[in-house]
Amino acid sequence: MRLVSDPVHDEVDLSASAEELNRLADAVARGEGLLASSPDSDALAGIEVRSTPGPGVLVRLDSARQYLVISGDSAGRAVLADNLRDMASAEDGGHLHVEYPGHGYLAEGSVPLVVNSPHGGMPAGRAGGRSLG
């Protein structure tokens, strides 16, 4: 898994294998987990998942630790977990934009996240990324 924070576009870019995306989805659904990123000087150290009362899911950067933190209530986390699993199983490539506003399960102040398909590229027959949830 590779996580890169892009300060120019104020977003985090996530590239991962289908197995890694499914592990992340499981952690998000459970509301707990710590997943390490590939060692890379440009990349964040990993993702921490926490269960909190919400409302919704907050995606934020912990700059001191260089972690992406995903926290929130079980209903919001379930939607995000389903979206991550959908991206992991998509065989036609593409990417998923997870951003507020636009995804009702996200809390205001969430950092935009781009989740890339393990198969890369754009989906067959599509001009843009997926919009799930």
Side-chain angles (χ1 to χ4, degrees), residues 16-40:
S17 68
E19 180 181 320
E20 291 167 327
L21 284 177
N22 280 313
R23 277 198 312 260
L24 175 57
D26 291 344
V28 168
R30 270 192 325 271
E32 65 178 352
L34 195 62
L35 294 94
S37 183
S38 301
D40 185 332

mmCIF file of all heavy atoms in Angstrom, residues 16-40:
data_model
loop_
_atom_site.group_PDB
_atom_site.id
_atom_site.type_symbol
_atom_site.label_atom_id
_atom_site.label_comp_id
_atom_site.label_asym_id
_atom_site.label_seq_id
_atom_site.Cartn_x
_atom_site.Cartn_y
_atom_site.Cartn_z
ATOM 1 N N ALA A 16 -3.151 0.523 -3.705
ATOM 2 C CA ALA A 16 -3.017 -0.711 -2.934
ATOM 3 C C ALA A 16 -3.462 -1.898 -3.775
ATOM 4 O O ALA A 16 -4.218 -1.745 -4.738
ATOM 5 C CB ALA A 16 -3.862 -0.622 -1.665
ATOM 6 N N SER A 17 -3.023 -3.068 -3.367
ATOM 7 C CA SER A 17 -3.486 -4.297 -4.004
ATOM 8 C C SER A 17 -4.924 -4.570 -3.546
ATOM 9 O O SER A 17 -5.407 -3.964 -2.570
ATOM 10 C CB SER A 17 -2.587 -5.466 -3.595
ATOM 11 O OG SER A 17 -2.756 -5.759 -2.212
ATOM 12 N N ALA A 18 -5.588 -5.493 -4.221
ATOM 13 C CA ALA A 18 -6.951 -5.864 -3.823
ATOM 14 C C ALA A 18 -6.938 -6.412 -2.393
ATOM 15 O O ALA A 18 -7.822 -6.084 -1.591
ATOM 16 C CB ALA A 18 -7.526 -6.889 -4.796
ATOM 17 N N GLU A 19 -5.942 -7.196 -2.058
ATOM 18 C CA GLU A 19 -5.830 -7.758 -0.712
ATOM 19 C C GLU A 19 -5.673 -6.648 0.331
ATOM 20 O O GLU A 19 -6.316 -6.666 1.381
ATOM 21 C CB GLU A 19 -4.640 -8.713 -0.638
ATOM 22 C CG GLU A 19 -4.451 -9.351 0.722
ATOM 23 C CD GLU A 19 -3.248 -10.282 0.760
ATOM 24 O OE1 GLU A 19 -3.022 -11.011 -0.223
ATOM 25 O OE2 GLU A 19 -2.550 -10.257 1.784
ATOM 26 N N GLU A 20 -4.837 -5.664 0.035
ATOM 27 C CA GLU A 20 -4.634 -4.547 0.973
ATOM 28 C C GLU A 20 -5.902 -3.707 1.124
ATOM 29 O O GLU A 20 -6.246 -3.289 2.234
ATOM 30 C CB GLU A 20 -3.471 -3.672 0.506
ATOM 31 C CG GLU A 20 -2.123 -4.352 0.630
ATOM 32 C CD GLU A 20 -1.016 -3.619 -0.107
ATOM 33 O OE1 GLU A 20 -1.282 -3.006 -1.171
ATOM 34 O OE2 GLU A 20 0.132 -3.676 0.388
ATOM 35 N N LEU A 21 -6.608 -3.461 0.014
ATOM 36 C CA LEU A 21 -7.863 -2.703 0.101
ATOM 37 C C LEU A 21 -8.902 -3.462 0.921
ATOM 38 O O LEU A 21 -9.647 -2.860 1.698
ATOM 39 C CB LEU A 21 -8.412 -2.387 -1.286
ATOM 40 C CG LEU A 21 -7.716 -1.276 -2.057
ATOM 41 C CD1 LEU A 21 -8.327 -1.124 -3.450
ATOM 42 C CD2 LEU A 21 -7.793 0.043 -1.301
ATOM 43 N N ASN A 22 -8.940 -4.784 0.771
ATOM 44 C CA ASN A 22 -9.876 -5.581 1.552
ATOM 45 C C ASN A 22 -9.506 -5.576 3.038
ATOM 46 O O ASN A 22 -10.386 -5.526 3.895
ATOM 47 C CB ASN A 22 -9.973 -7.000 1.014
ATOM 48 C CG ASN A 22 -10.878 -7.083 -0.190
ATOM 49 O OD1 ASN A 22 -11.981 -6.555 -0.188
ATOM 50 N ND2 ASN A 22 -10.405 -7.729 -1.249
ATOM 51 N N ARG A 23 -8.212 -5.604 3.358
ATOM 52 C CA ARG A 23 -7.779 -5.501 4.763
ATOM 53 C C ARG A 23 -8.177 -4.146 5.341
ATOM 54 O O ARG A 23 -8.628 -4.051 6.482
ATOM 55 C CB ARG A 23 -6.270 -5.716 4.897
ATOM 56 C CG ARG A 23 -5.869 -7.169 4.940
ATOM 57 C CD ARG A 23 -4.479 -7.375 5.507
ATOM 58 N NE ARG A 23 -3.468 -6.506 4.950
ATOM 59 C CZ ARG A 23 -2.606 -6.843 4.005
ATOM 60 N NH1 ARG A 23 -2.612 -8.049 3.494
ATOM 61 N NH2 ARG A 23 -1.723 -5.980 3.569
ATOM 62 N N LEU A 24 -8.010 -3.091 4.547
ATOM 63 C CA LEU A 24 -8.420 -1.757 4.990
ATOM 64 C C LEU A 24 -9.931 -1.718 5.196
ATOM 65 O O LEU A 24 -10.414 -1.196 6.207
ATOM 66 C CB LEU A 24 -7.984 -0.696 3.980
ATOM 67 C CG LEU A 24 -8.449 0.737 4.269
ATOM 68 C CD1 LEU A 24 -7.985 1.210 5.645
ATOM 69 C CD2 LEU A 24 -7.966 1.676 3.168
ATOM 70 N N ALA A 25 -10.690 -2.275 4.265
ATOM 71 C CA ALA A 25 -12.151 -2.305 4.391
ATOM 72 C C ALA A 25 -12.564 -3.053 5.655
ATOM 73 O O ALA A 25 -13.479 -2.616 6.371
ATOM 74 C CB ALA A 25 -12.779 -2.950 3.158
ATOM 75 N N ASP A 26 -11.905 -4.163 5.968
ATOM 76 C CA ASP A 26 -12.206 -4.922 7.184
ATOM 77 C C ASP A 26 -11.942 -4.075 8.434
ATOM 78 O O ASP A 26 -12.734 -4.065 9.363
ATOM 79 C CB ASP A 26 -11.393 -6.214 7.248
ATOM 80 C CG ASP A 26 -11.817 -7.241 6.208
ATOM 81 O OD1 ASP A 26 -12.919 -7.104 5.627
ATOM 82 O OD2 ASP A 26 -11.034 -8.181 5.968
ATOM 83 N N ALA A 27 -10.803 -3.358 8.452
ATOM 84 C CA ALA A 27 -10.468 -2.497 9.588
ATOM 85 C C ALA A 27 -11.487 -1.372 9.732
ATOM 86 O O ALA A 27 -11.916 -1.049 10.846
ATOM 87 C CB ALA A 27 -9.060 -1.927 9.423
ATOM 88 N N VAL A 28 -11.890 -0.789 8.615
ATOM 89 C CA VAL A 28 -12.882 0.292 8.647
ATOM 90 C C VAL A 28 -14.206 -0.243 9.186
ATOM 91 O O VAL A 28 -14.838 0.385 10.039
ATOM 92 C CB VAL A 28 -13.046 0.929 7.240
ATOM 93 C CG1 VAL A 28 -14.260 1.840 7.185
ATOM 94 C CG2 VAL A 28 -11.781 1.688 6.845
ATOM 95 N N ALA A 29 -14.626 -1.402 8.723
ATOM 96 C CA ALA A 29 -15.881 -1.991 9.192
ATOM 97 C C ALA A 29 -15.826 -2.294 10.690
ATOM 98 O O ALA A 29 -16.804 -2.057 11.410
ATOM 99 C CB ALA A 29 -16.204 -3.252 8.398
ATOM 100 N N ARG A 30 -14.690 -2.808 11.171
ATOM 101 C CA ARG A 30 -14.505 -3.127 12.600
ATOM 102 C C ARG A 30 -14.394 -1.876 13.465
ATOM 103 O O ARG A 30 -14.711 -1.883 14.645
ATOM 104 C CB ARG A 30 -13.211 -3.921 12.807
ATOM 105 C CG ARG A 30 -13.302 -5.394 12.741
ATOM 106 C CD ARG A 30 -12.030 -6.073 13.249
ATOM 107 N NE ARG A 30 -10.780 -5.402 12.965
ATOM 108 C CZ ARG A 30 -10.046 -5.567 11.879
ATOM 109 N NH1 ARG A 30 -10.444 -6.394 10.929
ATOM 110 N NH2 ARG A 30 -8.906 -4.920 11.728
ATOM 111 N N GLY A 31 -13.835 -0.819 12.885
ATOM 112 C CA GLY A 31 -13.608 0.405 13.641
ATOM 113 C C GLY A 31 -12.293 0.420 14.372
ATOM 114 O O GLY A 31 -12.076 1.231 15.265
ATOM 115 N N GLU A 32 -11.374 -0.445 13.960
ATOM 116 C CA GLU A 32 -10.050 -0.444 14.573
ATOM 117 C C GLU A 32 -9.061 -1.102 13.636
ATOM 118 O O GLU A 32 -9.376 -2.047 12.920
ATOM 119 C CB GLU A 32 -10.048 -1.151 15.920
ATOM 120 C CG GLU A 32 -10.352 -2.635 15.839
ATOM 121 C CD GLU A 32 -10.287 -3.325 17.189
ATOM 122 O OE1 GLU A 32 -9.855 -2.698 18.170
ATOM 123 O OE2 GLU A 32 -10.655 -4.493 17.247
ATOM 124 N N GLY A 33 -7.858 -0.557 13.644
ATOM 125 C CA GLY A 33 -6.799 -1.153 12.847
ATOM 126 C C GLY A 33 -5.684 -0.167 12.596
ATOM 127 O O GLY A 33 -5.879 1.060 12.696
ATOM 128 N N LEU A 34 -4.533 -0.703 12.318
ATOM 129 C CA LEU A 34 -3.360 0.079 11.995
ATOM 130 C C LEU A 34 -2.686 -0.620 10.829
ATOM 131 O O LEU A 34 -2.263 -1.775 10.958
ATOM 132 C CB LEU A 34 -2.425 0.135 13.212
ATOM 133 C CG LEU A 34 -1.327 1.166 13.196
ATOM 134 C CD1 LEU A 34 -1.896 2.585 13.152
ATOM 135 C CD2 LEU A 34 -0.445 1.006 14.433
ATOM 136 N N LEU A 35 -2.646 0.042 9.682
ATOM 137 C CA LEU A 35 -2.066 -0.547 8.486
ATOM 138 C C LEU A 35 -0.886 0.292 8.044
ATOM 139 O O LEU A 35 -1.008 1.511 7.908
ATOM 140 C CB LEU A 35 -3.110 -0.609 7.365
ATOM 141 C CG LEU A 35 -4.281 -1.547 7.631
ATOM 142 C CD1 LEU A 35 -5.425 -0.786 8.249
ATOM 143 C CD2 LEU A 35 -4.708 -2.221 6.365
ATOM 144 N N ALA A 36 0.232 -0.358 7.806
ATOM 145 C CA ALA A 36 1.447 0.347 7.398
ATOM 146 C C ALA A 36 1.465 0.549 5.894
ATOM 147 O O ALA A 36 0.940 -0.256 5.130
ATOM 148 C CB ALA A 36 2.674 -0.442 7.823
ATOM 149 N N SER A 37 2.086 1.638 5.501
ATOM 150 C CA SER A 37 2.290 1.958 4.092
ATOM 151 C C SER A 37 3.660 1.439 3.686
ATOM 152 O O SER A 37 4.501 1.133 4.530
ATOM 153 C CB SER A 37 2.215 3.472 3.918
ATOM 154 O OG SER A 37 2.345 3.829 2.563
ATOM 155 N N SER A 38 3.896 1.343 2.387
ATOM 156 C CA SER A 38 5.210 0.958 1.887
ATOM 157 C C SER A 38 6.230 1.995 2.336
ATOM 158 O O SER A 38 5.947 3.191 2.309
ATOM 159 C CB SER A 38 5.210 0.904 0.353
ATOM 160 O OG SER A 38 4.258 -0.007 -0.101
ATOM 161 N N PRO A 39 7.412 1.538 2.750
ATOM 162 C CA PRO A 39 8.436 2.511 3.150
ATOM 163 C C PRO A 39 8.867 3.352 1.954
ATOM 164 O O PRO A 39 9.328 2.822 0.957
ATOM 165 C CB PRO A 39 9.580 1.647 3.680
ATOM 166 C CG PRO A 39 9.300 0.264 3.235
ATOM 167 C CD PRO A 39 7.870 0.172 2.834
ATOM 168 N N ASP A 40 8.644 4.637 2.050
ATOM 169 C CA ASP A 40 8.926 5.552 0.954
ATOM 170 C C ASP A 40 9.034 6.942 1.556
ATOM 171 O O ASP A 40 8.176 7.350 2.333
ATOM 172 C CB ASP A 40 7.776 5.482 -0.057
ATOM 173 C CG ASP A 40 8.002 6.298 -1.303
ATOM 174 O OD1 ASP A 40 8.724 7.312 -1.250
ATOM 175 O OD2 ASP A 40 7.430 5.940 -2.339
#
